[in-house]
Amino acid sequence: MDQKNLQNILEGSVDITRRELNGQFTTPYELARILVRMTVLDWTDNFLDCCCGTGTIAKAALDIKKERIGKEPAVNTVWASDKYRYPLQVANISMTSTDTINLANRLFQKNALKISVSDKVDITNPSDGNIMHLKLPIMGAVVSNLPFVEFAKLPTDDLDIILNMIDDFNLDARSDLYFYIAIKIADMLKPDGRLGIITSNSWLGTGAGSKFIAALRERYDILQIHISGNGRWFQNADVVATLIILKKSGESPEENISFFLWKKSLEDFMLDNELEDDLVNSALLDKEINPSVCRISKYQHKTISEFLDFNVSYNAFFHGINWLHDLQNLTVPIDRIFYVFRGSRRGWDSMFYPKKGTHNIEDCYLKKVLKNARNIHRLTTEANDDKAFCCGVDIETLKELKHNGALEWIGRFVNQKNGVGKPLPEVLKKRGMYWYELKDNEIATFFTTMNPDKRIFFAKFEGESAFVNQRLIGMNPRTGYDDFELYHALLNSVLTIFSVESSGFGRGLGVLDINKDNIASCRVFNPSLISNKQRNDIVCAFKKIMNRDILNVAEELTSNDRLAFEKIVFNAYGVGHILDSVIQSIRSMQATRATART
């Protein structure tokens, strides 16, 4: 049977919710084959997949080993385990072929967080039905698609182990399950043994991810990190994945980490063996053999630390960012100039954002609001269409004031319930606030979007500032910073667009995952480093961009008025020579994130 059919058996017979809870997303065979080839150096050595699921990775290892060392040595040196019994039944079918039907697959049930060398496992010998009592050997390589289980759904039976690892390795309490498995499985590897794992990409842009890398470095040398620049690898889930290849720490630590950006799709590799060979050989040699197949960016650990301080995430390192060295002492974080906040998060929009013509609420309780940036077309705008219901007055006072419009509006919702049957006054209750109250103190002068996609921009409210809700990030200049025209221009320079794009990671449907803390730490050219003439030149050039519609980032990077503006900005700071490199890095990041939609 084809491996895809075996995967369909598992997916069709196990409820999707249960699979997601267990993090079981089946691995495409081509991806398994590539990862195995890139990780294993000695094919005679023992091999383990500690979260084998339907057995795709173990099967790929078996297929290659049989070609190189023969069928019996291959079966005897490929080990596979899973925490759950049902996938093992499918894996056993997957790992068995007509020429190995009488050989015993080294397949057993074990929690990857509890597996150790010399553990005893019982395996049935298919040739005579007898039980083989075996001990787990130390492994030359471990390759696995680790379960994609987020911290909020961690298995309760693993919590004791996980809590100890959080303390021992200084991990973030919000770490996903694969963090812990990747660290623990080092116990199964011999010195200089190699680990190849598939993980989600969420760690690339989070503080928890930085701690994950630091913890990995206590047990491994991180050799390579791979991502796709041509479509998602997993088509059965909105998951964007990474491959990480590590070597158990030995006497000679590695000085660099290589970041591989694949330029071909999995289908391309499946249809053309030469492309697969180019990719695998590039990984084994740590050398860019064919730029049309993959691009490699290498950085020393010291450089990575310096760039992380610049607020780039690990996601940026795939896109050639060594030009960041030239920006030393020329930028400041946005929160040096602005107070940055996320718009109000109250929930129950139908009450807090009443539609026109549906109420008689008094004007004193209605505030201008911008709910999202979908209909924002210019870099200056007004919040004219929507109003927010902001009432911080108790019911008795409303009655005394005869503010019947507000009273009637509140009365519409007092007996309503949410989707799980809880009364709204209970659900919306917050300390220091009435259940129907929405604070109106989050008024913004500038704003940007929470999870941008094709457009990245910073807009300014014309005239009166406005209230922003949770889909937007608001910004107000700090005391002493009053040159709004210059700040608006510098915020919208490609340097800050790069900083925003590089501070997060692409979600499964392509949007950029960032939050207000990312924005606060993003870099902007220091406005105090330029002369009055340079300031006026920048503001004058920026007006041409303000007087037209906002373009997608890809279109912005090719528009004449944009390029003219950027040359003036970068030349003012003495870094005109890196402008093209900045633009190229943005293009690469945007193109890679866009492929997650397909």
Side-chain angles (χ1 to χ4, degrees):
M1 294 181 67
D2 182 82
Q3 182 66 21
K4 184 65 177 176
N5 292 331
L6 292 171
Q7 291 175 350
N8 288 339
I9 291 173
L10 180 68
E11 293 185 359
S13 57
V14 179
D15 179 76
I16 182 66
T17 304
R18 184 177 173 186
R19 284 195 294 110
E20 288 180 349
L21 190 65
N22 296 332
Q24 296 173 324
F25 293 106
T26 52
T27 313
Y29 181 78
E30 182 64 24
L31 184 64
R33 177 181 170 84
I34 290 171
L35 182 56
V36 168
R37 290 186 64 194
M38 292 193 300
T39 306
V40 176
L41 298 183
D42 183 352
W43 294 99
T44 65
D45 224 335
N46 283 293
F47 172 99
L48 170 68
D49 179 357
C50 58
C51 302
C52 69
T54 56
T56 309
I57 290 175
K59 175 179 171 55
L62 271 172
D63 289 345
I64 300 170
K65 275 178 172 270
K66 284 194 292 184
E67 293 175 3
R68 302 192 180 202
I69 63 174
K71 62 182 180 181
E72 190 165 350
V75 172
N76 291 343
T77 56
V78 172
W79 301 77
S81 65
D82 200 276
K83 182 178 181 180
Y84 301 99
R85 181 176 298 277
Y86 180 73
L88 292 173
Q89 299 177 44
V90 183
N92 199 29
I93 301 171
S94 169
M95 293 170 64
T96 302
S97 57
T98 55
D99 59 343
T100 63
I101 194 93
N102 291 317
L103 299 177
N105 291 322
R106 271 47 176 174
L107 193 69
F108 57 97
Q109 185 177 3
K110 196 79 173 179
N111 185 340
L113 287 173
K114 299 177 181 178
I115 194 169
S116 298
V117 173
S118 297
D119 280 351
K120 295 179 180 179
V121 296
D122 293 337
I123 294 176
T124 302
N125 188 336
S127 64
D128 57 19
N130 293 327
I131 301 298
M132 304 167 59
H133 304 288
L134 305 176
K135 288 185 179 181
L136 292 182
I138 195 164
M139 302 293 166
V142 176
V143 178
S144 197
N145 177 6
L146 300 185
F148 292 13
V149 179
E150 60 190 23
F151 71 95
K153 299 176 181 178
L154 292 176
T156 55
D157 57 330
D158 293 335
L159 286 181
D160 287 343
I161 298 172
I162 287 169
L163 290 173
N164 287 331
M165 293 185 72
I166 288 174
D167 293 335
D168 292 344
F169 293 95
N170 192 32
L171 289 168
D172 193 294
R174 296 168 64 87
S175 299
D176 294 342
L177 180 60
Y178 63 78
F179 285 31
Y180 308 103
I181 296 176
I183 294 166
K184 164 64 176 147
I185 209 65
D187 294 342
M188 294 299 299
L189 285 167
K190 67 182 185 181
D192 292 335
R194 287 162 65 102
L195 172 65
I197 52 176
I198 303 173
T199 74
S200 78
N201 74 333
S202 60
W203 67 268
L204 290 173
T206 63
S210 295
K211 288 190 172 185
F212 173 50
I213 290 296
L216 285 178
R217 290 187 62 193
E218 291 187 33
R219 310 212 68 184
Y220 302 96
D221 292 330
I222 303 171
L223 304 178
Q224 299 166 3
I225 304 172
H226 296 245
I227 64 170
S228 173
N230 194 335
R232 292 200 311 270
W233 290 326
F234 289 81
Q235 297 302 319
N236 59 344
D238 291 335
V239 172
V240 180
T242 63
L243 309 183
I244 309 176
I245 298 177
L246 311 102
K247 180 179 73 173
K248 188 172 180 178
S249 298
E251 296 181 357
S252 303
E254 298 291 331
E255 296 182 357
N256 301 316
I257 300 179
S258 296
F259 293 79
F260 283 64
L261 179 64
W262 296 11
K263 307 300 289 184
K264 300 293 184 181
S265 68
L266 274 185
E267 184 178 21
D268 293 330
F269 292 122
M270 182 174 63
L271 296 174
D272 191 331
N273 291 335
E274 289 186 9
L275 295 180
E276 181 187 308
D277 288 342
D278 283 347
L279 176 64
V280 171
N281 290 333
S282 292
L284 293 175
L285 298 172
D286 198 26
K287 178 181 178 181
E288 193 174 284
I289 293 176
N290 184 346
S292 69
V293 172
C294 70
R295 301 298 303 269
I296 306 175
S297 299
K298 295 184 182 182
Y299 308 88
Q300 293 183 340
H301 291 294
K302 178 183 177 182
T303 299
I304 290 173
S305 296
E306 291 173 355
F307 288 177
L308 290 174
D309 289 340
F310 196 84
N311 192 50
V312 304
S313 69
Y314 280 95
N315 186 51
F317 290 100
F318 299 94
H319 306 284
I321 58 172
N322 276 310
W323 49 264
L324 276 174
H325 286 296
D326 294 334
L327 292 174
Q328 192 172 12
N329 302 321
L330 294 180
T331 67
V332 293
I334 285 177
D335 66 356
R336 175 83 62 83
I337 302 171
F338 294 92
Y339 165 65
V340 182
F341 61 93
R342 184 177 179 181
S344 182
R345 290 174 287 174
R346 245 348 225 122
W348 218 256
D349 284 3
S350 59
M351 180 171 74
F352 291 114
Y353 303 106
K355 295 181 180 179
K356 284 183 180 180
T358 64
H359 63 86
N360 294 305
I361 300 171
E362 289 76 13
D363 287 343
C364 60
Y365 303 121
L366 295 173
K367 305 293 182 182
K368 285 186 176 181
V369 65
L370 184 65
K371 293 169 64 177
N372 59 62
R374 195 178 304 118
N375 296 319
I376 300 300
H377 302 294
R378 296 290 178 101
L379 290 173
T380 55
T381 188
E382 292 185 9
N384 289 328
D385 295 333
D386 292 309
K387 296 289 181 71
F389 176 55
C390 301
C391 179
V393 180
D394 65 82
I395 297 296
E396 293 303 317
T397 303
L398 288 173
K399 290 178 179 178
E400 291 175 9
L401 295 172
K402 296 184 179 180
H403 287 175
N404 296 323
L407 282 168
E408 188 274 334
W409 185 252
I410 295 169
R412 291 190 195 183
F413 298 91
V414 70
N415 293 318
Q416 287 193 28
K417 297 180 180 180
N418 69 0
V420 294
K422 291 186 177 181
L424 289 187
E426 177 185 336
V427 174
L428 299 174
K429 184 178 180 180
K430 294 184 82 172
R431 181 180 296 180
M433 295 173 63
Y434 302 114
W435 69 270
Y436 51 81
E437 183 177 357
L438 179 66
K439 295 287 188 184
D440 63 353
N441 56 354
E442 292 177 336
I443 303 295
T445 304
F446 294 83
F447 68 89
T448 189
T449 54
M450 187 69 182
N451 295 119
D453 187 5
K454 297 180 181 179
R455 301 191 304 168
I456 298 176
F457 63 89
F458 292 82
K460 179 181 177 297
F461 286 113
E462 283 186 315
E464 183 182 350
S465 298
F467 179 68
V468 292
N469 87 338
Q470 61 181 341
R471 298 177 184 88
L472 300 168
I473 297 171
M475 301 164 55
N476 288 317
R478 295 185 182 274
T479 303
Y481 291 91
D482 53 8
D483 193 348
F484 290 8
E485 287 184 315
L486 178 60
Y487 306 152
H488 198 192
L490 295 179
L491 280 172
N492 283 285
S493 169
V494 292
L495 174 66
T496 307
I497 292 173
F498 163 82
S499 191
V500 172
E501 183 72 54
S502 65
S503 69
F505 64 95
R507 286 181 176 175
L509 295 178
V511 299
L512 184 66
D513 193 304
I514 58 172
N515 54 43
K516 70 99 174 173
D517 293 328
N518 292 107
I519 294 297
S521 300
C522 283
R523 311 295 292 198
V524 61
F525 277 121
N526 189 340
S528 66
L529 297 180
I530 54 176
S531 67
N532 285 335
K533 181 182 183 306
Q534 290 169 326
R535 179 263 180 210
N536 293 335
D537 289 343
I538 290 171
V539 170
C540 182
F542 184 59
K543 286 180 179 177
K544 293 183 179 179
I545 298 174
M546 289 177 61
N547 291 332
R548 63 159 169 80
D549 284 353
I550 301 166
L551 305 177
N552 292 344
V553 172
E555 297 168 332
E556 288 282 0
L557 297 179
T558 59
S559 68
N560 291 332
D561 51 7
R562 163 66 65 176
L563 294 175
F565 164 69
E566 299 296 350
K567 287 178 182 177
I568 291 172
V569 173
F570 276 69
N571 286 334
Y573 286 89
V575 287
H577 61 286
I578 69 168
L579 175 58
D580 288 343
S581 298
V582 178
I583 290 174
Q584 183 55 45
S585 294
I586 296 172
R587 282 185 179 138
S588 181
M589 285 190 289
Q590 283 255 312
T592 300
R593 181 159 59 85
T595 67
R597 303 187 193 99
T598 60

